[in-house]
Amino acid sequence: MAYIGRALVQGNYVKLDDLQSQFNGTKTTFNLTSGGASYTPGSANTLLVSLGGVIQEVGTSFTVSNNQITFSNPPTADAQIFIIALGNSVTIGTPA
């Protein structure tokens, strides 16, 4: 079924780089990157984090500080992960 409604006019969704290669079963803090560049979300609430196929809850399962995500429990070395940033900040200029 086709989408009905107005098209998205600002913002986008960004799939962040995979962190799995850094998982060792003890480490809990990881740098967030997109395309190899540091990524700082506007808020932890804008991240959709799936770890081992389970959506993680902000504040309980993970926290974010600047460009780092910290999990409350260390991910196992074989845990699959994906992180989607739900929108980017938009700079709105002041009228001339």
Side-chain angles (χ1 to χ4, degrees):
M1 181 173 183
Y3 174 76
I4 298 173
R6 293 179 28 187
L8 180 66
V9 294
Q10 289 183 341
N12 60 352
Y13 302 129
V14 176
K15 183 174 183 194
L16 300 185
D17 296 339
D18 193 345
L19 302 173
Q20 184 181 8
S21 65
Q22 300 175 51
F23 294 166
N24 62 11
T26 59
K27 187 176 177 182
T28 57
T29 301
F30 305 90
N31 292 328
L32 296 172
T33 58
S34 175
S38 178
Y39 183 88
T40 302
S43 163
N45 292 320
T46 65
L47 297 181
L48 175 64
V49 178
S50 173
L51 183 61
V54 178
I55 301 298
Q56 303 297 299
E57 183 178 359
V58 177
T60 302
S61 300
F62 73 94
T63 58
V64 173
S65 178
N66 297 316
N67 70 330
Q68 293 188 319
I69 186 168
T70 301
F71 294 99
S72 55
N73 294 308
T76 60
D78 62 346
Q80 299 288 317
I81 187 169
F82 71 84
I83 302 174
I84 306 291
L86 304 173
N88 285 331
S89 60
V90 178
T91 301
I92 300 174
T94 54

